[in-house]
Amino acid sequence: MEENEKKIQDVLAKLDEKQINYEMQRHPAVDRIDQIADLNLIHPETAAKNLFLRDDKHQHYYLVSIMPQKRVDLKAFRKEIGARHLSFALAEDMEKYLALRPGSVTQMGALNDAEHQVQVYLDQDFQGGLIGVHANTATVWLDADVLSAFLTEYGCRVAYAAI
């Protein structure tokens, strides 16, 4: 079984084990949010755009999920969360903390962060509604609050933010 498919199956097994309701849609592989327009997704307006960020001292890492049509103002976001200067994290950091490669960033990658070094921020616009969790060749939709509780149960640090 290919690596991406194994990761999808592992996540689905965890969701099933917790009896979490979700919808899943398989699709051709995509590694950028702008590629989803051609996929005919069932809930494209909630397919999260995910960014992996770090501060300028390489001490704090953030997995940020925003609505697909939004852009992140890093200066404003940094001020909101009280962080130092932010930029995109390196591919090596993504592999180290999330066991993911560029183009495959997903909120579920936080489950791979055994030492809980990565803070997950969900756009507050997801709160109380659906969020699309992208996994390269599939997207899973579930309630964002359920996703937050699910990740928290596994020790992940999750918060909503005005992004």
Side-chain angles (χ1 to χ4, degrees):
M1 181 182 308
E2 109 176 45
E3 179 184 349
N4 185 62
E5 182 60 28
K6 179 173 179 356
K7 288 180 180 181
I8 292 170
Q9 292 305 318
D10 289 348
V11 167
L12 294 177
K14 284 181 169 79
L15 293 173
D16 290 340
E17 177 184 315
K18 301 291 183 186
Q19 299 181 334
I20 293 174
N21 292 324
Y22 62 88
E23 288 181 86
M24 185 184 72
Q25 182 177 3
R26 296 213 177 257
H27 49 70
V30 294
D31 57 8
R32 292 187 332 268
I33 194 72
D34 62 338
Q35 296 173 319
I36 69 165
D38 299 329
L39 295 180
N40 203 19
L41 296 178
I42 54 179
H43 304 289
E45 71 283 359
T46 63
K49 181 178 0 179
N50 300 302
L51 310 170
F52 188 50
L53 308 172
R54 63 161 175 82
D55 70 6
D56 59 348
K57 296 283 187 182
H58 301 239
Q59 294 176 338
H60 298 94
Y61 291 85
Y62 309 94
L63 177 54
V64 180
S65 297
I66 62 173
M67 290 294 212
Q69 71 278 8
K70 284 188 168 183
R71 293 186 56 131
V72 175
D73 178 338
L74 291 180
K75 287 182 183 178
F77 178 63
R78 152 180 96 77
K79 287 179 183 176
E80 179 176 343
I81 66 171
R84 297 180 54 85
H85 178 77
L86 296 175
S87 63
F88 289 95
L90 302 173
E92 297 82 31
D93 296 329
M94 192 181 301
E95 176 66 35
K96 176 181 176 182
Y97 293 110
L98 303 177
L100 299 173
R101 293 185 308 271
S104 64
V105 179
T106 173
Q107 304 90 332
M108 296 303 185
L111 297 172
N112 299 322
D113 179 18
E115 296 181 19
H116 311 297
Q117 298 296 309
V118 177
Q119 169 72 51
V120 177
Y121 282 101
L122 304 177
D123 185 337
Q124 70 182 12
D125 290 346
F126 286 121
Q127 197 164 15
L130 284 179
I131 187 169
V133 176
H134 176 66
N136 196 264
T137 59
T139 301
V140 174
W141 282 270
L142 66 158
D143 182 280
D145 298 337
V146 171
L147 173 63
S148 177
F150 172 76
L151 293 174
T152 300
E153 185 174 335
Y154 281 93
C156 302
R157 297 178 296 138
V158 183
Y160 284 102
I163 304 171

